[in-house]
Amino acid sequence: MTTREKILDAALTLFAENGYDGTSVEQIANVVGIKAPSLYKHYKGKEDILNALIDSAEVRYDEMFGSENHIGRIPENREEFIKVTMGRVAFTMRDPMIRKIRMLLVQEQFRNERISEATTKHQLDGIQGMFAKIIKGMMDAGIVVKDDPKLLAVELTAPAVLQIARSDRQPQCEEECLECIERHLQHFCDTYMKK
Amino acid sequence: MTTREKILDAALTLFAENGYDGTSVEQIANVVGIKAPSLYKHYKGKEDILNALIDSAEVRYDEMFGSENHIGRIPENREEFIKVTMGRVAFTMRDPMIRKIRMLLVQEQFRNERISEATTKHQLDGIQGMFAKIIKGMMDAGIVVKDDPKLLAVELTAPAVLQIARSDRQPQCEEECLECIERHLQHFCDTYMKK
DNA sequence: CATTATAGCTAATGCTTATTAGCCTGTCAA
DNA sequence: TTGACAGGCTAATAAGCATTAGCTATAATG
């Protein structure tokens, strides 16, 4: 890992934990193992680090949720749908990097337009788009009732997004959040899946 | 309005807009119309202002959503339910004070346990509890299908909470957010209300 | 009327912060 | 071998920050 990358990594951790204004350039440098002024050999300044961080978060997010090939196989029945969805949720909830990106975005969402748009993409448009396709697939396969896939995606994802956000701020409730999501998922299937 | 109150008011606005760390005591004093050191005649320090702010936010929230007498009449039919609920949503979304409290909480949710718990209460437990009661009432009246009211409250409120959060960070999308909530509400009624 | 508390002020303190200047060392190309 | 550059360092700068000390005027209280 290059120093440039180490800086991004340290900054992400610290920004996520203490916020942008709550993090000093010196703290970042400490984690990297260099002195603060050396950091300016790699980035123009603190704001520049934040921007680079958002760039890389966007790239990572698009790799993860943007491309078609990560939707995977359309589940063939209720059990498979629940299993694969819960797996996705648990992974997203626990992955340290993704978690830090969420925490960074949510704290700095009012700072500038880029972050604000990224937050909407992550919390709403991105996941909804992805699940709309999966739900559409299941409708076409005849295992989900005919309806607007986009609308069902909203119903499906919104409670999960809120619970993931909760587990970010109250990690001790992670288990409870997952259970809550699973109950919701069961209910979703009860409501919209054919028997 | 006493100076003590003016200080809380100014601090709420500034914290909501720029975050706690992004706001200086001097800025708060400027808005109030006094010099920074005078502020210490009213509060022990910056952290003390934040705590007082959360106290008052909690009081206001409990007045608003905590007590039974604010649930109001149980709607008698679909149209009334949609109308009164959209009214509630629009009010909550637009009320400046409530909006600032949401913005403050969401930005500082990782700072301390009180704020973290308040955020969960506002975003999840509070609204869900309130709507669970309303839904329960409509079930008892026979206009909503029999189901777990708490679970239906999750399905009902989660998309709305996310859209309200979106309109906080992208106020230019307020109209769009409200439309999105209304579509969701219609869909909720289609799904769970008897014809 | 005397005094005491309230609530403002200016000045100062001491700390943190982001950033710059300038130096040094090792690596690699000409 | 020389020279340039990358990437580290120390020292310094300048600004901003929360907070304290101490003064003053006004209003309330005895």
Side-chain angles (χ1 to χ4, degrees):
Chain A
M1 193 154 55
T2 72
T3 305
R4 243 187 100 86
E5 289 166 338
K6 278 192 216 164
I7 292 172
L8 278 196
D9 198 60
L12 177 57
T13 301
L14 288 163
F15 288 168
E17 214 60 47
N18 313 115
Y20 178 82
D21 284 321
T23 302
S24 72
V25 175
E26 197 181 3
Q27 279 177 286
I28 300 172
N30 277 344
V31 174
V32 175
I34 58 177
K35 300 291 177 180
S38 305
L39 209 139
Y40 290 79
K41 301 281 174 173
H42 303 278
Y43 294 95
K44 285 186 181 180
K46 198 182 172 185
E47 196 78 27
D48 192 30
I49 298 176
L50 179 62
N51 283 321
L53 211 43
I54 298 169
D55 288 341
S56 87
E58 287 297 274
V59 169
R60 188 166 290 261
Y61 184 86
D62 290 339
E63 281 171 9
M64 207 83 203
F65 298 99
S67 68
E68 300 284 332
N69 53 334
H70 278 82
I71 293 176
R73 209 162 67 83
I74 299 295
E76 283 175 3
N77 55 54
R78 177 192 169 116
E79 285 65 39
E80 189 189 347
F81 173 63
I82 289 178
K83 193 179 159 203
V84 62
T85 303
M86 283 306 295
R88 244 189 256 268
V89 166
F91 174 79
T92 305
M93 189 184 270
R94 288 172 176 154
D95 182 85
M97 165 89 68
I98 301 179
R99 178 163 179 270
K100 287 172 194 169
I101 291 173
R102 279 195 308 267
M103 291 169 71
L104 168 63
L105 290 185
V106 86
Q107 285 180 90
E108 310 303 329
Q109 61 180 319
F110 306 116
R111 179 168 309 277
N112 69 55
E113 216 164 303
R114 276 191 78 200
I115 303 189
S116 139
E117 280 166 11
T119 307
T120 297
K121 183 164 119 189
H122 288 214
Q123 283 194 355
L124 297 168
D125 303 337
I127 326 180
Q128 282 174 17
M130 174 175 159
F131 276 98
K133 282 172 195 154
I134 294 173
I135 290 171
K136 175 74 166 37
M138 294 195 295
M139 276 180 198
D140 292 345
I143 55 177
V144 164
V145 298
K146 268 233 160 300
D147 201 332
D148 177 9
K150 190 83 176 70
L151 205 42
L152 285 203
V154 171
E155 314 294 326
L156 173 63
T157 58
V161 168
L162 279 186
Q163 286 296 331
I164 291 174
R166 181 183 178 204
S167 90
D168 283 340
R169 75 178 156 267
Q170 299 176 309
Q172 74 276 14
C173 300
E174 186 190 281
E175 209 51 49
E176 191 187 329
C177 294
L178 279 171
E179 283 163 21
C180 188
I181 294 175
E182 175 139 23
R183 273 198 305 279
H184 156 67
L185 206 49
Q186 297 280 359
H187 187 267
F188 179 88
C189 293
D190 291 344
T191 309
Y192 300 108
M193 274 188 138
K194 296 174 180 168
K195 307 268 164 36
Chain B
M1 192 157 52
T2 74
T3 305
R4 242 186 102 86
E5 289 167 336
K6 278 192 217 164
I7 291 171
L8 278 197
D9 198 61
L12 178 57
T13 302
L14 287 163
F15 289 168
E17 213 61 47
N18 313 115
Y20 178 82
D21 284 323
T23 302
S24 71
V25 176
E26 198 182 2
Q27 279 178 287
I28 300 172
N30 276 343
V31 173
V32 175
I34 58 177
K35 300 292 177 180
S38 306
L39 208 139
Y40 289 79
K41 301 283 172 171
H42 304 277
Y43 294 96
K44 284 186 181 180
K46 196 181 172 186
E47 196 78 27
D48 192 31
I49 297 176
L50 179 62
N51 283 321
L53 213 42
I54 298 170
D55 287 341
S56 86
E58 288 298 275
V59 170
R60 187 165 291 261
Y61 184 85
D62 290 339
E63 282 172 7
M64 206 87 203
F65 299 99
S67 70
E68 300 282 331
N69 54 334
H70 279 82
I71 292 176
R73 209 162 67 84
I74 299 296
E76 283 176 3
N77 56 52
R78 177 192 169 116
E79 283 65 40
E80 189 189 347
F81 173 63
I82 289 179
K83 193 179 160 206
V84 62
T85 304
M86 283 306 295
R88 244 189 255 268
V89 166
F91 173 78
T92 305
M93 189 185 269
R94 288 172 176 153
D95 183 84
M97 166 88 68
I98 301 178
R99 179 165 179 271
K100 286 173 193 168
I101 292 173
R102 280 195 308 267
M103 290 170 72
L104 168 63
L105 291 184
V106 86
Q107 286 180 89
E108 310 304 329
Q109 63 180 317
F110 305 116
R111 178 169 310 276
N112 70 54
E113 216 163 303
R114 275 190 79 200
I115 302 189
S116 140
E117 279 166 12
T119 307
T120 297
K121 183 164 119 188
H122 288 215
Q123 282 193 355
L124 298 169
D125 303 337
I127 325 180
Q128 282 172 19
M130 174 177 160
F131 275 99
K133 282 172 196 154
I134 294 173
I135 290 171
K136 174 74 165 40
M138 294 196 295
M139 276 179 198
D140 292 344
I143 54 175
V144 164
V145 297
K146 266 232 161 299
D147 201 333
D148 177 8
K150 190 85 175 66
L151 204 43
L152 284 204
V154 171
E155 313 294 325
L156 174 63
T157 58
V161 169
L162 280 186
Q163 287 297 330
I164 291 174
R166 180 179 179 208
S167 89
D168 283 339
R169 73 178 158 268
Q170 300 177 309
Q172 75 276 14
C173 300
E174 187 190 281
E175 209 51 49
E176 191 187 329
C177 294
L178 279 171
E179 284 163 20
C180 188
I181 293 174
E182 176 140 22
R183 273 198 305 278
H184 156 68
L185 206 49
Q186 297 281 359
H187 186 266
F188 179 89
C189 293
D190 291 342
T191 308
Y192 300 108
M193 275 188 138
K194 295 175 180 168
K195 309 269 164 39

